[in-house]
Amino acid sequence: MGKLHTERELINADKIQIYRLAKLASTDEATFRAVCDHVNFFVTFNDRQTLNTTYANQTLENWMELDREMIIALGFKRIRQISDTEVLKRAIREVQRFERTYPDGQRFCSYLQRIYFRGGYQWISTHKTIFDDQSYLNCGYDIQTLGKPGAMIRDLLDEVFVEKNAWERFETLGKREREVLALVARGYTSKELSELLFLSEHTVKTHRKNILAKLEISSNAELVRFAQAFELI
């Protein structure tokens, strides 16, 4: 399986898209709402403190099979009800880290959600930016809409995150182990890593052994899949 560069390119394009929507929302709210109801991805405003939805477009109504007034009334409680618990926990941590790091905005936060709609759990790629003192602007799309690349990404995520319960395993890796994981997945040998990281070759091999043990995998091929899924490569 090749690297997931296609997904990263789409994320970069999405950042431009959400920036343009934010500009439109701040200058022409009526046109913003009209545009949002004709796109095939969800657009929401959310309260920065509670994460409750304060605006939802037509796409989100269709996904949730609820009108926007009900989505707004239910608030973040509804997202909890239809989300994969472990994936949601990680998404919330990403948002909290984003809020602490960039409290004044001008940055984007991208993360995955796994939400139940259309009769099953779907992977959603979500992008968030700070709109003003009270609100986030969010855009998200079902990765299945990406065609073949989306199917490949979905299968990878299902295998790594769902079947292998990778969230907890990945969280056990230390900062240096994640660095080694990323470099090994890119094809660096232990000798090359030793020179690059100013570590003994024995220490590098110990890191590699510990990474395989913590992730409960036995081959470099599986290691690469983990690195791809967590966007380390």
Side-chain angles (χ1 to χ4, degrees), residues 93-157:
R93 288 200 298 271
E94 288 296 321
V95 174
Q96 291 171 339
R97 185 181 300 117
F98 172 67
E99 181 73 40
R100 290 193 303 269
T101 307
Y102 305 112
D104 299 323
Q106 304 303 313
R107 294 293 190 276
F108 299 91
C109 179
S110 298
Y111 54 91
L112 289 166
Q113 293 178 275
R114 189 167 180 260
I115 295 176
Y116 191 92
F117 64 94
R118 292 202 303 260
Y121 278 103
Q122 315 298 335
W123 285 99
I124 308 299
S125 181
T126 302
H127 313 285
K128 181 185 301 291
T129 190
I130 294 173
F131 181 73
D132 57 28
D133 291 343
Q134 288 79 40
S135 303
Y136 291 122
L137 175 62
N138 309 273
C139 295
Y141 60 86
D142 179 356
I143 63 172
Q144 291 191 87
T145 62
L146 303 181
K148 186 175 180 180
M152 294 172 65
I153 296 167
R154 181 199 62 220
D155 291 345
L156 170 64
L157 293 173

Side-chain angles (χ1 to χ4, degrees), residues 60-192:
L60 192 62
E61 286 187 315
N62 295 339
W63 285 3
M64 291 191 173
E65 298 181 332
L66 294 170
D67 62 43
R68 65 193 71 189
E69 288 77 13
M70 184 60 69
I71 293 172
I72 291 169
L74 291 171
F76 192 63
K77 177 173 66 175
R78 179 56 179 166
I79 298 299
R80 289 189 181 278
Q81 291 172 343
I82 62 176
S83 294
D84 179 298
T85 302
E86 293 305 317
V87 178
L88 180 62
K89 286 180 182 177
R90 185 175 179 86
I92 291 173
R93 288 200 298 271
E94 288 296 321
V95 174
Q96 291 171 339
R97 185 181 300 117
F98 172 67
E99 181 73 40
R100 290 193 303 269
T101 307
Y102 305 112
D104 299 323
Q106 304 303 313
R107 294 293 190 276
F108 299 91
C109 179
S110 298
Y111 54 91
L112 289 166
Q113 293 178 275
R114 189 167 180 260
I115 295 176
Y116 191 92
F117 64 94
R118 292 202 303 260
Y121 278 103
Q122 315 298 335
W123 285 99
I124 308 299
S125 181
T126 302
H127 313 285
K128 181 185 301 291
T129 190
I130 294 173
F131 181 73
D132 57 28
D133 291 343
Q134 288 79 40
S135 303
Y136 291 122
L137 175 62
N138 309 273
C139 295
Y141 60 86
D142 179 356
I143 63 172
Q144 291 191 87
T145 62
L146 303 181
K148 186 175 180 180
M152 294 172 65
I153 296 167
R154 181 199 62 220
D155 291 345
L156 170 64
L157 293 173
D158 282 344
E159 178 182 348
V160 173
F161 290 129
V162 181
E163 295 177 17
K164 294 183 179 296
N165 199 20
W167 298 115
E168 292 85 354
R169 299 182 190 183
F170 185 75
E171 291 293 334
T172 66
L173 298 181
K175 182 178 179 180
R176 177 66 85 178
E177 289 171 332
R178 296 185 191 193
E179 184 179 12
V180 171
L181 167 61
L183 293 170
V184 170
R186 292 189 178 101
Y188 284 83
T189 65
S190 293
K191 186 175 186 302
E192 291 170 333

Side-chain angles (χ1 to χ4, degrees), residues 45-54 134-136:
F45 278 110
N46 296 84
D47 184 273
R48 288 175 63 176
Q49 296 298 318
T50 65
L51 299 182
N52 287 336
T53 302
T54 56
Q134 288 79 40
S135 303
Y136 291 122

